[in-house]
Amino acid sequence: MVAEGDVEVDFGGVYERAALTRGAVLGSHDLFFDARTSTVTAMTPVRLYYLDHYRYKTFLYAFPDVMMMMLADFVSRWEQLEDVLGAAALTGAQRILRSRSSGDVAS
């Protein structure tokens, strides 16, 4: 979490770069998946608060409302990604849904 200063977040070209400041949470999805999905660059001197993966998971289990907010944010981002990629990128998912609706089990 940014305690002081300004940072810029690059989401690897998937989303527009974002300028964030005090109070912004960085890397929450990265820790959720234990993977790096963005790059953060300090634009001014910054002070940050940090949780490692273990403490982050412990925090989420202790405060499930926060986890639900993160999941809601994840769904919103997924919908934005679908808008950018279009339906052609999701043909496999559509095929699975169609086979399940017809009673078949997809492998």
Side-chain angles (χ1 to χ4, degrees), residues 55-93:
R55 286 182 179 91
Y56 186 68
K57 283 180 70 175
T58 302
F59 170 79
L60 291 178
Y61 290 134
F63 299 97
D65 289 348
V66 173
M67 191 180 322
M68 292 305 294
M69 287 189 299
M70 286 182 62
L71 288 172
D73 180 57
F74 179 73
V75 169
S76 295
R77 289 174 186 241
W78 180 263
E79 289 172 340
Q80 290 173 354
L81 187 59
E82 286 178 335
D83 289 343
V84 170
L85 295 177
L90 302 173
T91 56

